[in-house]
Amino acid sequence: MNESIEARIDRLQKGGIVDMHFDLPMDLYEKRHSRDVLVTEFLSEFEAGHISVLGAAIYIEDRYLPQNGLRVALDQIARLYAETGTSERFAICKNFQEIRAARETGKIAFLITMEGVEPLSTDLNQLRVFYELGVRSIGLTHARTNAAGHGGIFAANGSSTEGLTAFGRAVVQECEALGVIIDLAHINPAGFEETISLTTKPPIVSHTNVRRYYDIERNISDEQIKMIGERRGVIGVNSILVSPRQEESTLDHYVDHIVHIANLIGIDGVGIGFDFFEFIYRQWPESRQKDLAAKFTTPHFISDLTNHSHARNLTRKFIERGLSDVDIEKILRGNWLRIFKELL
Ligand SMILES: [Zn+2]
């Protein structure tokens, strides 16, 4: 076969790309006084990158807590419904059949996810309400401690050594009962292990990097990668914590994270969780950027992988690195679709 590299990229991209972590609802909420934000600011990038399923993450910033966590979460969901309702190109999906139907009709499917359970306070009934609104994946914590557990910190050690709280354990059990995918991104190592021991279904880590290349407890160790692999889960690789050094934050090194996971647990255990964040970061004043660096870390963006239109660059890099079509398609979509089919 004498197929050009561009034709091969086209063919691989055409089946669509699944990205399990995108901070879209937060941005739509901040722009709640504008209309058609999704169509005017995002659609062309999604189309250029052949994005077919996006994990749209509800996340509540510190400044809204504790009083307004619930309200801001509901407003984020409201904006997502309002904005997706303006175009035939989008669908909010609650199960695998809806995802499949969206893909067959060329729509971009959103799966609503929650990053940190602050919106629930300590009320399991609110988990049921968010489920009814469409939330289908939940990570108990972001970096901070909350009513469910403790986040992994942006350092090689020093996170809380405690696991989940009683509420955290109840949330995990209720998620499994309802059919909400449990996401182990951000949780501290003790909470990670406890969640694995409490559950039976395949776990996911929607967006993370490997500690081998960026050794912080927010990222995932070889031992943790193997725990996910043993349970047939999937790990989405993050584009913003690829290296502590800017000069090593490259597309090649992003692929190194994917290859490392595949070497440990097989190609079926790795997917995409880009966590594109530059578009939010550049809207911030310098004082907030400094605040982020002080609290967590300075994000190092990969210049040719900063938004969804760049997905094609990744596919090209996979080809250059010698990955087979079958493996590329598993990473780009197949592995996440298997999880949706099994769990939703
Ligand atoms: Zn995150």
Side-chain angles (χ1 to χ4, degrees), residues 92-124:
I92 294 175
C93 296
K94 297 179 179 176
N95 56 49
F96 181 68
Q97 289 71 28
E98 290 178 6
I99 292 170
R100 187 164 54 192
R103 283 165 50 75
E104 281 168 5
T105 51
K107 295 187 183 201
I108 296 160
F110 290 101
L111 196 70
I112 306 177
T113 69
M114 184 180 277
E115 183 172 37
V117 294
E118 283 82 355
L120 309 181
S121 303
T122 54
D123 185 355
L124 273 189

Side-chain angles (χ1 to χ4, degrees), residues 308-327:
H308 288 104
S309 76
H310 291 160
R312 199 178 165 84
N313 296 337
L314 178 60
T315 302
R316 181 192 312 276
K317 185 60 74 179
F318 284 147
I319 293 170
E320 287 170 5
R321 294 279 292 258
L323 275 76
S324 71
D325 286 358
V326 170
D327 287 359

